[in-house]
Amino acid sequence: MSDSNATPWTLRRARPTDAEAFARMMQEHEVFRQLLQLPFPDAELWRQRLSNQQAPNSPELHLVAEVQGEVIASSGLHPVGAHLRRRHVMALGMSVAVPWQRRGVGSALMAELCNYADNWLGVLRIELGVFADNLSAQALYRKFGFELEGRQRAFALRDGEYVDSLMMARLHPNPPRWSSASESTA
């Protein structure tokens, strides 16, 4: 996954042993303020979250980008809930350590998650929320086909102010179809 000419990172599935790295990354004010995280993250809480994502046959995929063993970013696709009528939908979340922002790691994670959703799960809809002032994240999501669907006013308290969030979603660009080529001609 890493291009030796340009990208120093590798992508892999997140593991419970990454909990300390997640807690470190979420300590960065510029990271956690763009997420629905709170200051002073707890590594044990992250260990539990990451362990819960390891369920057999789960469609959930949580990736990390790492450089020389250090986690620098994470992104995941998560089921939106247990309701059977929404099983075609997954939610996307992403965080990138400050020194690695605007260096292509977000695009690499997005490409892998969209490929997984489109070509392996047949997910019809990926949805996410992004703070209205996070213009670089919005640009990244638009690059991968996400469109603005609405605004949630006073969505969350951040740094002592209520801030708006934008709802964005991407529909599968070429939903799976049945291929007659897979049919036996005998």
Side-chain angles (χ1 to χ4, degrees):
M1 290 188 208
S2 176
D3 177 356
S4 61
N5 294 329
T7 58
W9 59 78
T10 57
L11 304 182
R12 63 167 173 80
R13 188 179 285 269
R15 301 183 288 249
T17 55
D18 294 324
E20 295 288 339
F22 274 70
R24 269 193 308 280
M25 188 167 49
M26 298 300 166
Q27 286 177 355
E28 295 182 47
H29 183 261
E30 288 304 312
V31 172
F32 74 75
R33 75 182 302 270
Q34 296 297 354
L35 309 170
L36 288 179
Q37 302 292 326
L38 292 171
F40 309 107
D42 180 58
E44 186 53 37
L45 176 64
W46 275 108
R47 195 171 340 282
Q48 290 171 9
R49 287 179 184 171
L50 293 167
S51 292
N52 291 341
Q53 294 173 5
Q54 303 294 316
N57 299 320
S58 170
E60 192 161 15
L61 178 63
H62 194 162
L63 297 177
V64 296
E66 66 179 0
V67 173
Q68 298 176 343
E70 178 187 350
V71 173
I72 61 165
S74 85
S75 187
L77 286 172
H78 312 283
V80 297
H83 202 290
L84 292 176
R85 291 175 58 193
R86 293 210 72 212
R87 65 180 166 220
H88 64 289
V89 182
M90 294 195 86
L92 185 140
M94 179 177 290
S95 59
V96 179
V98 173
W100 291 94
Q101 293 177 4
R102 295 171 195 80
R103 294 178 63 183
V105 68
S107 290
L109 287 164
M110 288 293 294
E112 289 300 326
L113 291 176
C114 288
N115 175 59
Y116 181 75
D118 293 348
N119 297 315
W120 298 101
L121 295 181
V123 171
L124 182 61
R125 175 185 170 85
I126 304 172
E127 57 190 30
L128 59 86
V130 59
F131 286 121
D133 60 357
N134 192 345
L135 302 179
S136 60
Q138 292 169 43
L140 172 65
Y141 301 141
R142 279 192 203 91
K143 176 179 165 182
F144 285 89
F146 284 78
E147 295 181 16
L148 177 65
E149 291 191 332
R151 182 181 206 98
Q152 296 174 299
R153 297 179 330 171
F155 176 74
L157 184 65
R158 182 184 71 188
D159 291 333
E161 296 180 341
Y162 287 104
V163 294
D164 294 358
S165 177
L166 304 179
M167 297 301 299
M168 298 181 79
R170 171 192 182 269
L171 296 180
H172 194 305
N174 187 19
R177 291 172 176 55
W178 176 71
S179 171
S180 62
S182 64
E183 198 175 66
S184 174
T185 58

